[in-house]
Amino acid sequence: MSRFLMGKVQPAAYTAMFALDKYMEQSSINKNHYELIKIRAAQINGCAYCVNAHTKEALKLGENPQKLYLVGVWREAPNVFDEQEQLVLAITEEITLIHQHGLSDELYNKSLAAFGEVKTAEIIMGAITINAWTRIGVALNMHPQI
């Protein structure tokens, strides 16, 4: 069944989402880290379009393909992901699954120690942004050709 296109029904909302995207692209988050955030949140939310798009983008940025194969099981591959990547992925999971227990004090404090307040805020906003996009895509059954 075909569903409406959010950008046509709510163009102002889409404009705001694109502005948030533009803000995030200009943030100080490492670009590869940001693609890992996008991929992991999209995996959890079941958005095949986003997983595909952001995996391709990570490859364009020179990300190691092995790392991309293992994003969904990153805890089982600690030798593939460095400490910062593991922290970014853990935060992404807790933000994406916010209903379980929120962002834990442990991860929050680890992030502050590793990245500082500004970058921690950007990581959180990055996870929030991709979660919004994937929820639009999944809610409206947007399955463009992959």
Side-chain angles (χ1 to χ4, degrees):
M1 173 174 114
S2 178
R3 297 186 182 190
F4 64 78
L5 297 174
M6 186 65 75
K8 288 189 181 209
V9 176
Q10 290 290 322
Y14 244 50
T15 298
M17 286 295 299
F18 283 119
L20 185 54
D21 258 348
K22 185 174 182 171
Y23 167 79
M24 289 308 306
E25 292 300 328
Q26 295 171 356
S27 75
S28 66
I29 296 176
N30 174 294
K31 300 302 180 204
N32 289 50
H33 287 180
Y34 193 32
E35 292 306 320
L36 291 176
I37 290 169
K38 292 176 185 179
I39 293 165
R40 187 64 190 123
Q43 288 173 335
I44 293 168
N45 289 327
C47 186
Y49 176 80
C50 290
V51 170
N52 187 58
H54 297 298
T55 299
K56 286 180 180 179
E57 188 60 33
L59 287 169
K60 285 183 197 173
L61 291 171
E63 189 58 81
N64 178 344
Q66 181 188 27
K67 189 174 288 184
L68 298 176
Y69 303 145
L70 297 171
V71 169
V73 292
W74 63 271
R75 283 184 179 82
E76 306 302 322
N79 58 324
V80 175
F81 297 91
D82 66 31
E83 287 182 35
Q84 286 190 347
E85 292 164 335
Q86 290 176 42
L87 184 54
V88 163
L89 290 166
I91 291 169
T92 300
E93 289 180 358
E94 287 196 358
I95 296 294
T96 303
L97 301 169
I98 198 91
H99 67 284
Q100 291 182 349
H101 56 74
L103 178 59
S104 68
D105 288 341
E106 178 185 0
L107 276 181
Y108 175 80
N109 289 326
K110 276 184 171 179
S111 187
L112 289 178
F115 299 116
E117 282 187 347
V118 171
K119 197 167 282 189
T120 295
E122 290 173 340
I123 291 165
I124 292 169
M125 285 304 300
I128 290 167
T129 302
I130 188 60
N131 271 285
W133 281 119
T134 60
R135 283 166 165 79
I136 291 168
V138 173
L140 297 177
N141 253 353
M142 297 173 67
H143 298 112
Q145 294 293 324
I146 294 179

